[in-house]
Amino acid sequence: MAGGHTGAKGVVHVERRRFLGLAATGLTGAVGLTATACGSGSDSGDGVTLKMVAADYGDPGGDNSTQTYWDEVSRAFTKKHPNITVDVSVYSWNDVDKKVADMVKRGEAPDIAQIGAYANYADQDKLYPASDLLSIPVQADFLPSLAEAGEVIRVQYGMPFASSTRLLFYNKTLFSEAGLDPEAPPESWKELKRAAAALKDAGVKIPYGLPLGPEEAPAETMMWMLSAGGGYTDTVGTYTIDSAENVRAFTWLRDELVGEGLTNPGPGSTDRQDLFDAFCRGEVGMLNGHPTLMQQADRHDVKYGTAVLPGDGGPAKATMGVADWMMGFKQNGHREQIGAFLDFAYSEKNHYAFADRYDMLPVTTAARERMRRDKGHKELWSFLDELATAEFYPAGKVSWAHVSAEIKKSIGKAVEKGGSPASVLGGLQRKAEAEETAAQ
């Protein structure tokens, strides 16, 4: 998944990018073709089956699984391109990155992957540049800062597919039952602990949901780092995982929330979706969430509110944003067919259908403007606004995929009873530095 945001205002640096710019104008009309990009006329000759692996944004096994979305898109595409079939396999965020990594390692890379990181594959020369796949109008329609975040050495390989920001979600009904003002969510760590303690006293099963399991660990970790004024990298893109700010955040979590029994048991083995499901059952008082949780909570008639993430001493100065990435692998030589399908998938109609269905934020100017006009998505407008100051994972670092995997394995140990945040974060820092050196 995929993908962090900036500290003090005005900071600009390589890996943690400010969001949004204005997309190039005049190029987002009728889809055209370039000499290198394919398009609607490229599917001549024998039939080709493209293998695609994608992440699931819906409820696992539910009617809104992303498998359903991609099946609809691939069927519609094949009607227009009878010689190209697209076989899409959708996996949970727990498994999808590893699934693709294993396929590549076996020499069986998919043609298309929609996952959380691209830079390591680009560094190994396994990906097509976006300009070799997409028509000019489609590539130009990406929001500029996201397109830039998809670059390795100024060449775009990662094509943004979905984005989101994070806010604090809280159950207004549980707040009222605990004697808390349902219109006054906590703004600081101190207020967060006070609210969690009141919820616990009122019998709430999970006062604060802390998902540090493999599904959400890098994101939840980054949100807590940002809330302390820290982050994964500094202003020039150097890893700062074991900074004093980050150690302070996890020491506070260990002592003031987890140690006081104010979170779910075993945060290091708890996944995001499990807590989302519990929130919708009325068992969680507060947790950090993205726009998709609104849809799930609405289906279960949960009365909830959202707020800026609480920080150390006041509201967090930075919001976390996540971008997930589409990429085309070279191995099977299906450049033209991959490009034709991606042009189709990124059309305003199809890309907006995805954002609309899963309450995600669009990555193209056309779809973003359409969402701004859609009053049915008024609740998402505040998430769109948060993108202006959002910080993202250092996805352009070749080392990030390995660092992210290590965070998933070990960050939960930092908040265990007797755990040492300084030691855990220090170990992650050393791992990140070693991966950076190896990538150079």
Side-chain angles (χ1 to χ4, degrees), residues 391-408:
E391 290 193 23
F392 291 78
Y393 293 139
K397 282 183 172 291
V398 174
S399 59
W400 173 244
H402 299 288
V403 174
S404 177
E406 193 63 31
I407 291 167
K408 292 179 180 182

Side-chain angles (χ1 to χ4, degrees), residues 36-38 48 50-51 109-113 118-134 139 142 150-152 154-160 325-340 342:
T36 56
C38 67
V48 168
L50 298 177
K51 175 64 179 177
D111 295 288
I112 303 169
Y118 65 87
N120 56 326
Y121 299 121
D123 184 64
Q124 297 166 24
D125 195 30
K126 294 183 181 296
L127 302 180
Y128 290 111
S131 60
D132 283 0
L133 299 173
L134 302 175
Q139 188 174 7
F142 288 132
E151 294 177 357
V152 175
R154 300 185 180 181
V155 176
Q156 184 182 1
Y157 294 93
M159 292 161 278
W325 302 97
M326 188 80 75
M327 61 210 71
F329 282 86
K330 292 180 177 180
Q331 180 177 314
N332 300 317
H334 295 150
R335 178 184 63 82
E336 292 188 354
Q337 292 86 356
I338 293 169
L342 292 180

Side-chain angles (χ1 to χ4, degrees), residues 69-70 73 161 326 340-348 350-351:
Y69 168 81
W70 283 118
V73 171
F161 179 70
M326 188 80 75
F341 180 70
L342 292 180
D343 270 1
F344 186 78
Y346 278 112
S347 68
E348 179 185 340
N350 289 324
H351 183 54

Side-chain angles (χ1 to χ4, degrees), residues 38-373:
C38 67
S40 58
S42 65
D43 54 325
S44 59
D46 296 335
V48 168
T49 296
L50 298 177
K51 175 64 179 177
M52 177 176 172
V53 175
D56 198 352
Y57 293 81
D59 299 335
D63 292 338
N64 71 332
S65 168
T66 314
Q67 184 72 58
T68 302
Y69 168 81
W70 283 118
D71 287 347
E72 293 169 358
V73 171
S74 61
R75 282 196 297 269
F77 173 76
T78 299
K79 281 187 178 180
K80 288 191 171 186
H81 304 259
N83 291 329
I84 309 175
T85 301
V86 186
D87 178 13
V88 185
S89 299
V90 172
Y91 299 93
S92 77
W93 277 108
N94 275 351
D95 305 318
V96 68
D97 288 296
K98 186 176 186 303
K99 180 68 68 172
V100 172
D102 289 344
M103 293 172 72
V104 172
K105 187 175 181 179
R106 293 195 306 266
E108 301 171 358
D111 295 288
I112 303 169
Q114 186 269 302
I115 52 179
Y118 65 87
N120 56 326
Y121 299 121
D123 184 64
Q124 297 166 24
D125 195 30
K126 294 183 181 296
L127 302 180
Y128 290 111
S131 60
D132 283 0
L133 299 173
L134 302 175
S135 61
I136 289 175
V138 172
Q139 188 174 7
D141 199 29
F142 288 132
L143 296 164
S145 294
L146 272 181
E148 183 185 354
E151 294 177 357
V152 175
I153 315 178
R154 300 185 180 181
V155 176
Q156 184 182 1
Y157 294 93
M159 292 161 278
F161 179 70
S163 64
S164 69
T165 55
R166 303 299 172 93
L167 294 174
L168 178 73
F169 282 70
Y170 65 100
N171 186 312
K172 290 187 173 183
T173 301
L174 297 181
F175 262 51
S176 295
E177 292 173 354
L180 300 167
D181 184 348
E183 304 304 324
E187 296 184 346
S188 67
W189 290 355
K190 184 177 180 180
E191 292 177 5
L192 180 68
K193 180 182 179 182
R194 186 183 303 125
L199 290 163
K200 180 180 180 180
D201 290 344
V204 175
K205 184 175 181 180
I206 302 173
Y208 180 84
L210 183 63
L212 293 176
E215 181 184 13
E216 186 70 345
E220 188 74 15
T221 296
M222 186 170 181
M223 282 183 271
W224 281 96
M225 289 176 170
L226 291 173
S227 74
Y232 283 125
T233 61
D234 64 14
T235 57
V236 294
T238 301
Y239 280 115
T240 55
I241 296 173
D242 62 348
S243 69
E245 294 85 357
N246 296 342
V247 172
R248 183 170 71 251
F250 278 85
T251 300
W252 189 87
L253 268 177
R254 180 196 65 187
D255 297 341
E256 305 299 329
L257 282 189
V258 180
E260 295 291 329
L262 300 177
T263 69
N264 41 287
S269 59
T270 302
D271 287 334
R272 171 187 62 192
Q273 190 59 52
D274 293 336
L275 289 177
F276 277 15
D277 293 343
F279 184 80
C280 294
R281 294 194 299 267
E283 298 173 356
V284 178
M286 301 175 285
L287 79 170
N288 295 333
H290 53 65
T292 303
L293 180 56
M294 294 192 307
Q295 186 182 72
Q296 189 176 345
D298 287 341
R299 288 201 303 271
H300 290 83
D301 297 321
V302 176
K303 188 177 181 182
Y304 64 90
T306 60
V308 174
L309 304 183
D312 183 10
K317 294 182 175 64
T319 303
M320 180 187 169
V322 174
D324 304 324
W325 302 97
M326 188 80 75
M327 61 210 71
F329 282 86
K330 292 180 177 180
Q331 180 177 314
N332 300 317
H334 295 150
R335 178 184 63 82
E336 292 188 354
Q337 292 86 356
I338 293 169
F341 180 70
L342 292 180
D343 270 1
F344 186 78
Y346 278 112
S347 68
E348 179 185 340
K349 175 183 176 182
N350 289 324
H351 183 54
Y352 189 79
F354 171 83
D356 177 65
R357 184 177 298 191
Y358 299 105
D359 281 340
M360 300 299 290
L361 305 183
V363 301
T364 67
T365 299
R368 181 180 185 272
E369 290 176 350
R370 181 172 173 180
M371 183 169 280
R372 270 291 182 189
R373 297 191 300 268

